[in-house]
Amino acid sequence: MSRIKIYGSAISGNCLKVKWTADLLGIAYDWIETDILKGETRTDEFLALSPAGQIPIVVLEDGRVLEQSCAIMLYLAEQVGSDLISSDPFEKAKMIGWLFWEQNFHESSIAVRRFRKRFAGLSDGDIDPTLLTRGNASLQLMEAHLEKHSFFGGDQLGLPDIALVAYTRMAGEGGYILDDYPNVGRWISRVENALGIPPYGEENV
Ligand SMILES: N[C@@H](CCC(=O)N[C@@H](CS)C(=O)NCC(=O)O)C(=O)O
């Protein structure tokens, strides 16, 4: 696969998902650090690339642009024929189901609450209380899944694990108490080991 550009931010779980996938697959890329807090996704130059004004995006060598973290992960994994994606249609659909769930339920609560607390500086009383309820429901569902399974992508690390670990390991910053979810805690360590990344807070991305 020829060299790609990844526009992303080291503080964004959505962007780190793409980075980790590329690193794991040995895909060469240039990382273009893009500061959302300074509005760098809202410049004319960025909007010309991606009118949605969000990161991550990937620019392929021929100039085509791909948006949405999970779609980018799928593309990268399929380009190099990795076993991060099952060849069995049912297992593949299950895996894509987890990616949808991550975006629809998990990220939309845990990542959003983390952003509001850590970066927007809002106090708990000013944050929609359903974000805490939905985030904890996400963690509870993961805890129950991990009672019987080691990963979300099947018997080994898969794309859902990479997608889900991104904001799960940051959940403490959103006011979620990870110690209440011991299976999740052990799974985070397994995924970090498989990705070769240090525990959250100890890395220098
Ligand atoms: N569903 C998108 C979400 C992308 C997203 O929310 N990106 C954030 C950073 S994590 C962003 O660019 N925010 C800046 C903005 O919306 O202005 C994905 O998974 O890629």
Side-chain angles (χ1 to χ4, degrees), residues 79-151:
Q79 283 302 298
V80 296
S82 118
D83 59 5
L84 289 174
I85 299 179
S86 173
S87 54
D88 176 78
F90 181 82
E91 293 304 325
K92 183 174 174 182
K94 284 287 274 189
M95 182 206 72
I96 292 173
W98 278 118
L99 299 181
F100 277 111
W101 181 76
E102 186 267 341
Q103 286 285 291
N104 174 255
F105 202 83
H106 178 284
E107 190 259 15
S108 65
S109 50
I110 294 178
V112 171
R113 196 167 200 277
R114 170 202 179 233
F115 187 87
R116 299 208 171 141
K117 274 181 81 74
R118 179 170 168 188
F119 298 105
L122 296 183
S123 60
D124 286 354
D126 291 329
I127 301 175
D128 174 0
T130 64
L131 294 178
L132 191 59
T133 317
R134 282 161 49 91
N136 276 314
S138 301
L139 293 168
Q140 190 51 57
L141 190 141
M142 293 171 70
E143 181 74 6
H145 175 90
L146 292 165
E147 196 64 44
K148 294 188 183 147
H149 304 89
S150 299
F151 292 102

Side-chain angles (χ1 to χ4, degrees), residues 12 14 17 36 41-42 53-56 68-69 103 107 167:
S12 155
N14 283 323
K17 292 172 199 174
I36 56 172
T41 57
R42 301 292 162 158
Q54 291 193 319
I55 45 174
Q68 295 293 329
S69 56
Q103 286 285 291
E107 190 259 15
Y167 286 110

